[in-house]
Amino acid sequence: MKPHGSSDQTFSRDTGDLLILRQPDDWHVHLRDGGMLAFAADYTARQFARAIVMPNLDPPVTTTAAAEAYRTRILDVLPEGRRFTPLMTAYLTDDIDAEEIARGFSGGVLTACKLYPAGATTNSANGVTDVRKIWPVLERMHSIDMPLLVHGEVVSPDIDIFDREAVFLETVLAPVLEDFPGLRVVLEHITTDDSVQFVEAAGSNLAATITAHHLRIDRNAMFEGGLRPHAYCLPVAKRRRHREALRRAATSGNPKFFLGTDSAPHQKHEKESSCGCAGIFSAPTAIESYAQTFEEEDALDRLEAFASEFGPRFYGLPLNEGTVSLQRQPQNVPELMSDDHVRIVPFHAGETLRWRFNGRTDQR
Ligand code: NCD
Ligand code: ZN
Ligand code: ZN
């Protein structure tokens, strides 16, 4: 297979049964805290060199000191010798201190800020109630070139849940980009053709992450023979035609679209409940899931750029030097993953995947 981009920096090799990629990064992940952090973090750290760690803890990460302490807790639960860099984010609130954020960014602790519209998703009660309230913070971020990451959904109960992302583009994102034309923005976990087109049409300062699960499920997955809480995440999966648009965007080679799993573990009993939590735990087989999708789209040669090049280029970070390898070998995904404190149903539970993560390697 011909490596995509054919630069001498491209590591991608496919010998049929072995796929070698420059080590990827995850540009959107929830690692949680406490017992869940201890359970979940290494699934991300073993596959990805770096990850943008979401700040929606309870209470949320809103200061540089809190981000630093959280980073230490993450590194403390990883196995000895694991090379993994958590990239920390701050959670924007109506009254967040712009100076504090700027200090955290210039001091190298914070990589970006995350905008959660209040009430949009898990632990977003302290989020922003009206984006106009944080205009001075956005102004500051714009001036220091600090990226803004957005959960792109409006929360008004009048707006149908399947339209919340599209309405956000017009009512929130467009005005932000108009007033701050150079602000680097990542529209996280996009789920619609509307978002694909919006990102394509915008300047190079707007990019988007695409999850492994939104490339594979559409909204039928939530109702297949009954109510399926493990297919429920936010933004909710949309119609099949939107999933097809995401597949086209991810495999297009357009550097504005890159990997962000949005792996979001919740306890089994908290998903299988009368008011189940939103979130899909995809970290254990993240890269295998993307590989399967790219292979189905006949675009395995574009996986490396999507997973390992476009993200760091957007964030202005160096590409990773190491590699990972995947073996073409059937992998049965367990129905349940657990330890003494945690029980989780992972993405792809009970399915057989075509690829298996083989670990890191120095081979080029
Ligand atoms: C995420 C979570 O559980 O923290 N859930 C989800 O469905 N994606 C929050 C988020 O990214 O919106
Ligand atoms: Zn989100
Ligand atoms: Zn998320």
Side-chain angles (χ1 to χ4, degrees):
M1 185 178 65
K2 196 162 67 55
H4 177 63
S6 67
S7 92
D8 56 359
Q9 289 180 320
T10 300
F11 295 175
S12 181
R13 279 199 293 127
D14 174 10
T15 60
D17 290 335
L18 197 64
L19 178 63
I20 295 174
L21 304 172
R22 180 191 294 281
Q23 193 171 14
D25 303 300
D26 185 349
W27 299 99
H28 180 132
V29 71
H30 300 270
L31 298 181
R32 311 298 194 208
D33 217 340
M36 186 63 94
L37 172 67
F39 179 85
D42 198 45
Y43 288 110
T44 293
R46 62 198 268 277
Q47 293 200 341
F48 298 100
R50 295 169 290 199
I52 288 275
V53 180
M54 289 296 136
N56 61 332
L57 304 181
D58 185 16
V61 177
T62 54
T63 63
T64 306
E68 224 165 353
Y70 184 30
R71 182 170 65 186
T72 302
R73 295 200 296 283
I74 294 166
L75 294 173
D76 282 351
V77 299
L78 297 179
E80 196 69 26
R82 177 70 81 217
R83 284 172 57 187
F84 175 69
T85 305
L87 300 171
M88 308 311 291
T89 59
Y91 178 114
L92 295 172
T93 60
D94 283 352
D95 52 10
I96 192 138
D97 180 1
E99 279 319 301
E100 164 75 13
I101 294 308
R103 262 197 311 276
F105 182 62
S106 60
V109 177
L110 295 176
T111 299
C113 285
K114 179 68 191 278
L115 166 62
Y116 289 102
T121 187
T122 309
N123 292 343
S124 64
N126 300 305
V128 173
T129 58
D130 177 352
V131 72
R132 292 272 164 192
K133 293 197 172 159
I134 57 160
W135 233 240
V137 181
L138 298 183
E139 207 152 31
R140 193 67 209 274
M141 290 171 64
H142 191 206
S143 70
I144 60 176
D145 196 22
M146 182 177 195
L148 172 71
L149 318 181
V150 301
H151 179 106
E153 286 191 294
V154 294
V155 294
S156 162
D158 314 340
I159 310 284
D160 189 281
I161 190 162
F162 293 100
D163 297 333
R164 287 181 182 180
E165 184 173 287
V167 173
F168 180 91
L169 301 174
E170 277 161 45
T171 60
V172 183
L173 190 53
V176 166
L177 291 170
E178 200 171 297
D179 276 26
F180 307 107
L183 182 66
R184 270 188 293 163
V185 179
V186 183
L187 184 55
E188 302 289 343
H189 47 44
I190 59 170
T191 62
T192 56
D193 187 25
D194 310 66
S195 287
V196 169
Q197 291 184 29
F198 190 95
V199 170
E200 282 172 345
S204 60
N205 56 311
L206 179 65
T209 52
I210 303 182
T211 74
H213 50 275
H214 287 115
L215 291 170
R216 303 201 65 80
I217 63 175
D218 60 40
R219 64 190 197 175
N220 290 321
M222 287 182 289
F223 308 104
E224 218 177 280
L227 199 53
R228 301 280 185 170
H230 299 290
Y232 173 56
C233 65
L234 287 168
V236 283
K238 307 296 192 298
R239 288 179 182 278
R240 167 136 329 190
R241 76 172 177 85
H242 292 291
R243 193 196 74 173
E244 299 311 319
L246 299 177
R247 283 184 165 231
R248 276 196 301 278
T251 59
S252 67
N254 184 336
K256 288 166 144 269
F257 300 102
F258 48 81
L259 185 156
T261 62
D262 191 22
S263 178
H266 289 280
Q267 292 270 19
K268 182 174 189 283
H269 69 269
E270 283 168 349
K271 289 197 62 77
E272 297 173 5
S273 140
S274 62
C275 185
C277 295
I280 293 179
F281 182 50
S282 59
T285 56
I287 196 68
E288 296 97 313
S289 181
Y290 283 109
Q292 184 150 326
T293 298
F294 274 64
E295 188 170 42
E296 286 164 6
E297 295 296 315
D298 201 16
L300 259 189
D301 59 339
R302 295 197 167 169
L303 178 59
E304 180 175 65
F306 174 81
S308 321
E309 294 173 8
F310 298 157
R313 292 219 173 102
F314 183 83
Y315 276 90
L317 294 168
L319 305 190
N320 296 316
E321 284 304 321
T323 59
V324 295
S325 69
L326 283 81
Q327 181 89 34
R328 189 191 303 277
Q329 193 182 80
Q331 173 180 192
N332 298 324
V333 180
E335 298 277 3
L336 182 73
M337 302 179 73
S338 62
D339 67 9
D340 290 348
H341 311 283
V342 170
R343 285 158 58 81
I344 307 183
V345 176
F347 186 44
H348 290 299
E351 292 174 34
T352 301
L353 293 175
R354 276 206 292 278
W355 291 90
R356 179 187 291 274
F357 177 73
N358 221 8
R360 303 179 182 196
T361 162
D362 315 338
Q363 267 179 282
R364 290 197 171 194

